[in-house]
Amino acid sequence: MSRLLRCTVAVIGGLSLVGCSSLPKPSAPPQPAFDLRGYFDGRVQAWGQFQDYRGKVVRRFTVDMTGTWQGQTGVLDEHFVYDDGQTERRVWTLTDQGNGRFVGRAADVVGDAHGHTQGSAFYWRYTLRLPYKQRTIDVQFDDVMFRQDQRHVINRATVRKFGIPVGQVTLFFQKPMPADQARGDTP
């Protein structure tokens, strides 16, 4: 195959992937409304996985996090444990800008993260700097968190490099059961 033909096939293939990446934004029902500050206040546990662009599960992990708020500013301290034993910590500083809009920063996030609530969903976008083969790469995360009930949130994130999807993260959050429910004191 000539070099020109190979380049043409590569460009057309790349454009078709970019076309697929502009899928409609998932919508969520209006209830239960996602109160980001209320949900990420206190202890939350999570577990999830990263799948590559072919859908192959590449890595699994758990997260133990604690959120605290003072005024309009919150800190979300996340501790990751991966299936290979590696650990990682990310500390987010979140600012509530009102009207369901939030800005966030973390040491491995490039610039600001931006998000907003809409009904029972929270939409969150940011660029994460990841270690990769003795250097770093920047990838874009486009997260959608769906509030299921008082204790559970499902997160789906599309990961892109140069606008092309390279993977997906699926994450399940759970707040601890209140002590009175755990004892069976309430219905």
Side-chain angles (χ1 to χ4, degrees):
M1 187 183 301
S2 75
R3 180 179 176 167
L4 178 59
L5 184 57
R6 283 193 308 264
C7 288
T8 303
V9 168
V11 168
I12 291 171
L15 289 175
S16 68
L17 285 174
V18 171
C20 292
S21 70
S22 59
L23 296 173
K25 184 171 148 182
S27 63
Q31 296 298 323
F34 201 138
D35 173 13
L36 187 81
R37 290 175 60 159
Y39 189 81
F40 289 107
D41 186 19
R43 186 166 180 240
V44 178
Q45 293 179 303
W47 58 99
Q49 64 186 23
F50 175 76
Q51 295 171 264
D52 67 16
Y53 67 96
R54 295 173 295 214
K56 178 182 176 192
V57 175
V58 176
R59 205 165 195 202
R60 291 185 173 106
F61 57 92
T62 60
V63 190
D64 192 20
M65 59 188 81
T66 304
T68 56
W69 289 87
Q70 288 189 344
Q72 300 303 103
T73 303
V75 174
L76 185 58
D77 190 354
E78 302 176 320
H79 295 266
F80 295 81
V81 177
Y82 294 92
D83 56 356
D84 63 1
Q86 180 183 351
T87 61
E88 181 180 29
R89 181 177 183 208
R90 179 171 300 113
V91 179
W92 285 97
T93 300
L94 306 172
T95 304
D96 183 344
Q97 297 188 310
N99 296 321
R101 299 208 171 275
F102 291 82
V103 172
R105 295 193 137 238
D108 54 355
V109 171
V110 179
D112 290 338
H114 294 274
H116 69 279
T117 58
Q118 183 176 349
S120 62
F122 179 66
Y123 301 90
W124 189 235
R125 294 185 122 180
Y126 55 95
T127 299
L128 188 63
R129 182 158 288 153
L130 297 171
Y132 182 75
K133 295 185 179 179
Q134 321 218 323
R135 59 187 182 98
T136 60
I137 60 169
D138 293 348
V139 294
Q140 294 72 46
F141 275 72
D142 193 358
D143 287 50
V144 183
M145 297 180 192
F146 297 99
R147 178 81 182 256
Q148 297 300 300
D149 56 34
Q150 292 300 100
R151 295 184 55 221
H152 301 96
V153 168
I154 299 171
N155 184 96
R156 184 177 70 197
T158 301
V159 184
R160 292 183 173 86
K161 178 74 177 155
F162 303 121
I164 298 170
V166 295
Q168 187 169 10
V169 175
T170 306
L171 189 61
F172 299 92
F173 295 93
Q174 179 174 294
K175 289 184 75 74
M177 184 178 291
D180 56 348
Q181 286 181 346
R183 288 188 313 263
D185 294 345
T186 59

